[in-house]
Amino acid sequence: MHREVAIIGIGLSEWGELWEKSLRDTYVEAALKAIDDAGIDRIDSMYVGCMSGGLFNDQEHLASLLSDYLGIAPVPAVRVESACASGGLALKMGIIEIMSGNADVILVGGVEKMTDVSGDQATAALASAADTDYEFHHGITFPGLYAMMARLHMERYGTTREQLAEVAVKNHFHGSMNPLAQYPSQITREMVMNSVMIADPLRIFDCSPITDGAAALVICPLDMAKKISKHPIVKIRGFGHATGPIALHGRTEMCALPAVTKAAEKAYQMADIKPDQLDLVEVHDCFTIAEICVLEAIGLVEKGKGGEATVSGMTRLGGKIPVNTSGGLKSKGHPVGATGVAQAIEIVTQLRGKAGKRQVEKARIGMTQNMGGSGGSSIVHIMEVL
Amino acid sequence: MHREVAIIGIGLSEWGELWEKSLRDTYVEAALKAIDDAGIDRIDSMYVGCMSGGLFNDQEHLASLLSDYLGIAPVPAVRVESACASGGLALKMGIIEIMSGNADVILVGGVEKMTDVSGDQATAALASAADTDYEFHHGITFPGLYAMMARLHMERYGTTREQLAEVAVKNHFHGSMNPLAQYPSQITREMVMNSVMIADPLRIFDCSPITDGAAALVICPLDMAKKISKHPIVKIRGFGHATGPIALHGRTEMCALPAVTKAAEKAYQMADIKPDQLDLVEVHDCFTIAEICVLEAIGLVEKGKGGEATVSGMTRLGGKIPVNTSGGLKSKGHPVGATGVAQAIEIVTQLRGKAGKRQVEKARIGMTQNMGGSGGSSIVHIMEVL
């Protein structure tokens, strides 16, 4: 990277079922916190990730709306969309604009207001991240897609129902130490395995929730951060972004995530590190099986070993490589467009040493992995504290 | 711009009511034409502008879908949205990524498949480009918003019903020479003024149509273009992007377009030219009144003089500054996400000297002005042939 980038401000809105707040309120809350945290009074450019303002809120033209209501118009504002990876994409685009020299101080955000529609409507809106013509319009929604991936993973690699449950147990354990988590309660393996069936073998506690929420970052050139940052400086050491077959039927192996593997490879290459140099990772656990497949796709464990690794405690706080110390999408919540940005906030919080009870000791290098749909796109960022 | 950018390939799909084609078919058709026109076999990165795959097609995660169906995955692909300015935004983001050095050969596209829903649904989908909570959900749609702007412009500046009609007459005259226009028929002032009323004072011939279509460009660094281009080289000389109040009630003057003015000023500054150095312009004539307001906002005429200038012939082929030689949104069609890219295609075609009967003589510098909603965002590009 010929012009390095640092994250100097972070802000998370309240997350949950926010009946009293609108899409714009939620975004502005996170953005103002990030601006305040950065201690700056200047924004040159803005990116916001949102999956579907159209289907959830009848609202497109989002970047114009949000720059206007934040009070920063005429600042150029760009809405990006890559389904549930929209937040990670917003961060990538902010980094690229700083690299281009076209802007210095950039507000990167993500938002989704998902409870303004019924649960059925939300499920349908989310299904638009799949291949609509060949998947969604034939009746399948995301729990069904991930259930098929889980079934195949169980048959092919011997992954067990207990191993799936352990992902949820671990992430709720982490989330119990995150005051901002939507569902901070601890759960047991038995609770997961006796919870209501959604799409066999996935039960309700295998699924991330529906969440309203926003997240925001302020980023700037590393040289500028060294002069103005109020916090330990977290720089972007690498990033990767890739697409892959959007539909499950387009993949050589249905439970593999080629876009995730490619994005991670590119990020490792740019950062010039190997997976075992990471101190912690936030991954896209929209379903328990997703975390298992991602651990394998980003090279933390061998193919087929994600379930075993989870049960071994390797990915738990105190283990070799803590995964989803924030609680992950499962416990922290999953306002889809905000998730990728919130993942970065958890890494920055940890690298600043401000994660409280869930602090990873001596955390120096962290990674985020954000994913669209059933893996049709993925964006990975590697960050390091100076 | 420290790394200059050139457009080396252009491609337009069929435009119209394409009942036999899907969103992905339409995009792939334009993209393959642009790649073929550029004569390259490499794409490093892809941007696609689309306003609402969600509301028109139940399809988000568009960049993943389209890179997959074009056959270029794992290439990173980004969907951007700024309502009807989504196409112009895709071009801006492609330019920024080339400036950043992160990619060299970039496919920039725009697409909208608008006829998969009813006319009422399409009108509602388009209304999501306004401020949903304060405009759309109170019942107003785009013809109504622009009708209010027209009424005020008539009262404040003496703009007449005849002057509005003349915009449509001119653009259909231009469109009659564009074999790709959706409505290439010439119309008269009387036909416009006797056509069915939509929102007083705007009649059906004051409104751009509902269109299915896609458009694509291949861009690369100018140095590379000089080595590989098969065509006269068209470089980006400047660009500007700005946001403004999304809702009409947020503006100091309801028929002014502050985001357009700001975007144009930035583009003129980067290009280091004045408006009178332009040889032709494509502007966002979603309604006849829009073209009049834009002529004023980009500094081609004084405030309030847009109607008069149109009747004088200044903006007609052969006039001082031909505007919308393609036929504009009015005659060529307006697949909203594709429009900004298609505007650039018209300018490139003219600057290459390949515009046939509608060729502007000695065209050397051209500009595109793309606009979201009722002017909440705008993106302007200035191009020059070497």
Side-chain angles (χ1 to χ4, degrees):
Chain A
M1 222 185 298
H2 59 262
R3 195 172 189 236
E4 291 196 285
V5 177
I7 299 176
I8 59 166
I10 57 175
L12 211 60
S13 76
E14 184 185 358
W15 281 26
E17 292 190 37
L18 310 177
W19 298 85
E20 304 295 325
K21 291 180 184 173
S22 70
L23 175 74
R24 69 189 82 187
D25 296 336
T26 305
Y27 172 80
V28 168
E29 182 185 340
L32 289 179
K33 283 187 185 171
I35 291 169
D36 188 52
D37 184 60
I40 43 100
D41 57 3
R42 163 187 165 194
I43 300 289
D44 301 338
S45 175
M46 173 185 135
Y47 291 85
V48 60
C50 182
M51 174 176 161
S52 195
L55 294 170
F56 287 116
N57 318 100
D58 283 343
Q59 181 71 66
E60 306 285 9
H61 211 186
L62 283 164
S64 172
L65 177 84
L66 298 175
S67 80
D68 184 10
Y69 275 79
L70 183 58
I72 63 168
V75 164
V78 177
R79 179 247 183 138
V80 294
E81 182 269 316
S82 190
C84 318
S86 300
L89 184 54
L91 176 54
K92 178 198 148 181
M93 293 316 306
I95 295 167
I96 285 181
E97 186 164 5
I98 289 180
M99 288 167 67
S100 80
N102 197 57
D104 287 329
V105 183
I106 300 187
L107 178 64
V108 168
V111 63
E112 211 82 48
K113 184 73 174 71
M114 302 174 76
T115 68
D116 290 358
V117 295
S118 70
D120 281 359
Q121 286 172 311
T123 300
L126 290 168
S128 71
D131 183 326
T132 295
D133 295 351
Y134 292 100
E135 293 182 321
F136 171 34
H137 281 179
H138 293 273
I140 197 157
T141 58
F142 271 91
L145 290 167
Y146 275 98
M148 290 198 290
M149 294 167 77
R151 269 273 162 253
L152 187 66
H153 207 277
M154 292 165 95
E155 289 216 7
R156 190 160 289 174
Y157 302 109
T159 296
T160 65
R161 201 26 283 196
E162 289 76 10
Q163 290 171 350
L164 292 174
E166 197 58 31
V167 173
V169 172
K170 166 185 72 77
N171 289 348
H172 274 270
F173 168 64
H174 292 163
S176 72
M177 295 175 280
N178 183 353
L180 298 168
Q182 183 180 10
Y183 292 107
S185 43
Q186 288 201 50
I187 57 173
T188 64
R189 201 183 283 189
E190 290 65 41
M191 285 167 72
V192 180
M193 291 178 64
N194 293 323
S195 66
V196 64
M197 184 67 81
I198 300 295
D200 194 5
L202 301 179
R203 295 171 179 269
I204 190 103
F205 278 148
D206 290 292
C207 310
S208 58
I210 299 284
T211 312
D212 299 326
L217 307 168
V218 177
I219 65 174
C220 73
L222 181 60
D223 291 347
M224 180 188 280
K226 286 178 179 168
K227 289 180 199 140
I228 65 172
S229 179
K230 305 192 298 177
H231 308 282
I233 292 170
V234 175
K235 75 166 192 176
I236 303 292
R237 190 156 156 172
F239 63 86
H241 174 199
T243 54
I246 187 171
L248 289 191
H249 63 248
R251 304 194 192 160
T252 313
E253 174 167 308
M254 218 175 70
C255 63
L257 299 167
V260 176
T261 299
K262 187 79 186 172
E265 281 172 1
K266 287 200 275 187
Y268 291 136
Q269 191 182 6
M270 188 187 278
D272 193 22
I273 65 163
K274 294 209 160 53
D276 63 9
Q277 289 175 262
L278 296 169
D279 297 313
L280 76 160
V281 184
E282 290 280 303
V283 306
H284 198 93
D285 60 320
C286 48
F287 296 91
T288 50
I289 182 63
E291 176 162 323
I292 288 173
C293 293
V294 169
L295 294 179
E296 300 166 2
I298 63 178
L300 289 187
V301 297
E302 274 176 53
K303 184 75 204 164
K305 302 288 185 192
E308 239 172 73
T310 305
V311 173
S312 79
M314 168 185 162
T315 56
R316 198 177 174 93
L317 192 62
K320 188 178 146 206
I321 171 83
V323 173
N324 284 333
T325 54
S326 68
L329 285 53
K330 181 71 198 77
S331 162
K332 185 183 51 181
H334 183 29
V336 290
T339 282
V341 178
Q343 290 179 322
I345 290 178
E346 175 67 11
I347 299 295
V348 171
T349 305
Q350 290 277 1
L351 298 185
R352 286 180 180 176
K354 298 288 185 190
K357 286 186 194 168
R358 66 184 194 284
Q359 181 66 45
V360 175
E361 282 182 44
K362 297 183 188 161
R364 211 176 60 79
I365 302 181
M367 183 167 101
T368 58
Q369 178 274 330
N370 193 197
M371 184 155 72
S374 58
S377 66
S378 189
I379 294 126
V380 170
H381 289 92
I382 296 174
M383 297 158 203
E384 179 177 17
V385 67
L386 294 194
Chain B
M1 222 185 298
H2 58 265
R3 196 175 189 234
E4 292 195 285
V5 177
I7 299 176
I8 59 166
I10 57 176
L12 211 61
S13 75
E14 184 186 359
W15 281 27
E17 293 189 36
L18 309 178
W19 298 84
E20 305 295 326
K21 290 180 185 174
S22 69
L23 175 72
R24 68 190 82 189
D25 295 336
T26 305
Y27 172 79
V28 167
E29 181 184 341
L32 289 178
K33 281 186 186 172
I35 291 169
D36 187 52
D37 185 60
I40 42 101
D41 56 5
R42 165 187 165 194
I43 299 290
D44 301 338
S45 175
M46 173 185 135
Y47 290 86
V48 59
C50 180
M51 175 177 160
S52 196
L55 294 169
F56 286 118
N57 317 100
D58 283 343
Q59 181 72 66
E60 306 285 8
H61 210 187
L62 283 163
S64 172
L65 177 85
L66 299 175
S67 80
D68 184 10
Y69 275 79
L70 183 58
I72 63 168
V75 164
V78 178
R79 181 247 182 135
V80 294
E81 183 268 317
S82 192
C84 318
S86 300
L89 184 53
L91 176 55
K92 177 198 150 181
M93 293 316 307
I95 294 167
I96 285 182
E97 187 165 5
I98 289 180
M99 288 167 67
S100 80
N102 197 56
D104 287 328
V105 183
I106 300 186
L107 178 64
V108 167
V111 63
E112 211 82 47
K113 183 73 176 69
M114 304 174 74
T115 68
D116 291 357
V117 294
S118 71
D120 281 358
Q121 288 172 309
T123 300
L126 290 168
S128 71
D131 184 325
T132 295
D133 296 351
Y134 293 99
E135 292 182 324
F136 172 34
H137 281 179
H138 293 274
I140 197 157
T141 58
F142 271 90
L145 289 167
Y146 276 97
M148 290 198 290
M149 293 165 76
R151 269 276 162 252
L152 187 66
H153 207 277
M154 291 165 95
E155 289 216 8
R156 191 160 290 176
Y157 303 108
T159 297
T160 64
R161 196 32 278 199
E162 289 75 10
Q163 290 171 349
L164 293 174
E166 196 57 31
V167 173
V169 172
K170 167 186 70 76
N171 288 349
H172 274 270
F173 168 63
H174 291 163
S176 73
M177 294 176 280
N178 183 353
L180 297 168
Q182 182 180 11
Y183 292 107
S185 42
Q186 288 201 49
I187 57 175
T188 64
R189 200 183 284 191
E190 291 64 39
M191 284 167 73
V192 180
M193 292 177 64
N194 293 323
S195 66
V196 64
M197 184 68 81
I198 300 294
D200 195 4
L202 301 180
R203 293 171 180 269
I204 190 105
F205 278 147
D206 289 293
C207 310
S208 58
I210 299 284
T211 312
D212 300 324
L217 306 168
V218 176
I219 65 174
C220 73
L222 181 59
D223 292 345
M224 182 188 282
K226 286 178 180 167
K227 288 179 198 140
I228 66 172
S229 180
K230 304 192 299 178
H231 309 281
I233 292 170
V234 175
K235 76 165 192 177
I236 303 293
R237 189 156 158 173
F239 63 86
H241 174 199
T243 54
I246 186 171
L248 288 190
H249 63 248
R251 305 195 192 159
T252 314
E253 174 168 309
M254 217 174 70
C255 63
L257 299 167
V260 176
T261 300
K262 187 79 186 173
E265 282 171 0
K266 287 201 275 186
Y268 291 136
Q269 190 181 4
M270 188 186 279
D272 193 23
I273 65 165
K274 294 206 161 55
D276 64 8
Q277 290 174 261
L278 295 169
D279 297 312
L280 77 161
V281 184
E282 290 281 303
V283 306
H284 199 93
D285 60 321
C286 47
F287 296 90
T288 50
I289 183 64
E291 177 162 324
I292 288 173
C293 294
V294 169
L295 294 179
E296 299 166 3
I298 63 177
L300 289 187
V301 298
E302 273 176 55
K303 184 75 204 164
K305 301 289 184 192
E308 239 172 73
T310 305
V311 172
S312 78
M314 168 185 162
T315 56
R316 199 178 172 92
L317 191 62
K320 188 177 147 208
I321 171 83
V323 173
N324 284 332
T325 54
S326 68
L329 285 53
K330 180 71 197 78
S331 162
K332 185 183 50 178
H334 183 26
V336 288
T339 282
V341 178
Q343 289 179 322
I345 289 177
E346 176 67 10
I347 298 295
V348 171
T349 304
Q350 289 277 1
L351 298 186
R352 285 181 181 175
K354 298 289 186 191
K357 286 185 195 168
R358 68 184 193 283
Q359 181 66 46
V360 175
E361 282 181 45
K362 297 184 189 161
R364 211 174 61 77
I365 302 181
M367 184 167 99
T368 59
Q369 179 274 329
N370 191 197
M371 185 155 71
S374 60
S377 67
S378 188
I379 295 126
V380 170
H381 289 92
I382 296 174
M383 296 158 206
E384 178 178 18
V385 67
L386 296 195

